[in-house]
Amino acid sequence: MVSVSLDKSIRIWDIPFGCQVAAYQQDSAIHSLEVLDDGRFATGSCDQTIRVWSPKGLDYTLSNHTGCVLDLKVINSTHLSSSSTDRTIKIWNLLTKQLSLTLNSHKAQVISLELMKNGTLISLSTDNYFKFWDVNNGQLLNTKEIGNTNVGFI
């Protein structure tokens, strides 16, 4: 199991034995964690980066956001999405380690992402809108206002 914290730490735990087996430190508070299909994991933090880790340590860093990375969501075995305080969603190719798409439509920070079974990505922003995206081409499929509520995650 992997845990991350706003104290900038990443810890890997051996659950059957109840002990920590590895620990790493980032330069900035970590806001998101996503386990990848190949067993590695990705972290998103306020240094505007996404870091991809193996149990042995840092593999590589993805950077293109201009704000804190707030959420990560695996799309498939080769692509990862990220959301940020910079009001964007980024789609990353994990094979080439390059940015594939930037999705722009929210008017405030994008705080949560969810992938539907049909492959549609849903984003939630503090602008009080859900947006539905085709992650293959970046097309905005639908927008739904949620009103003045304090929804924080989807």
Side-chain angles (χ1 to χ4, degrees):
M1 183 179 89
V2 179
S3 64
V4 298
S5 174
L6 294 176
D7 72 1
K8 309 173 192 174
S9 67
I10 301 164
R11 292 182 170 79
I12 301 175
W13 303 89
D14 182 328
I15 296 303
F17 293 104
C19 62
Q20 180 180 302
V21 295
Y24 306 105
Q25 196 76 17
Q26 285 195 196
D27 299 331
S28 184
I30 304 167
H31 285 271
S32 53
L33 168 72
E34 184 77 349
V35 177
L36 306 178
D37 290 348
D38 62 6
R40 294 179 301 161
F41 58 94
T43 58
S45 66
C46 271
D47 65 2
Q48 305 173 359
T49 67
I50 299 150
R51 290 189 169 102
V52 177
W53 303 80
S54 73
K56 296 183 181 189
L58 180 63
D59 282 351
Y60 58 90
T61 301
L62 303 169
S63 60
N64 191 275
H65 279 292
T66 58
C68 293
V69 177
L70 298 178
D71 201 11
L72 300 169
K73 189 60 62 181
V74 169
I75 294 172
N76 56 41
S77 62
T78 61
H79 288 85
L80 176 71
S81 60
S82 60
S83 68
S84 173
T85 59
D86 67 10
R87 305 180 312 206
T88 68
I89 301 150
K90 308 275 185 182
I91 309 294
W92 304 90
N93 184 315
L94 297 173
L95 298 177
T96 64
K97 302 174 183 133
Q98 299 294 314
L99 178 64
S100 295
L101 291 169
T102 298
L103 311 178
N104 289 302
S105 182
H106 283 291
K107 293 178 175 58
Q109 62 186 353
V110 184
I111 57 174
S112 187
L113 299 170
E114 190 58 56
L115 188 68
M116 295 174 59
K117 288 183 182 181
N118 70 0
T120 299
L121 185 68
I122 306 170
S123 59
L124 171 66
S125 169
T126 55
D127 63 8
N128 292 321
Y129 286 92
F130 286 110
K131 303 228 178 219
F132 299 79
W133 305 91
D134 181 328
V135 294
N136 296 309
N137 60 22
Q139 179 183 358
L140 178 61
L141 302 172
N142 203 346
T143 299
K144 296 289 182 188
E145 185 173 9
I146 59 172
N148 291 330
T149 66
N150 288 323
V151 175
F153 300 98
I154 50 176

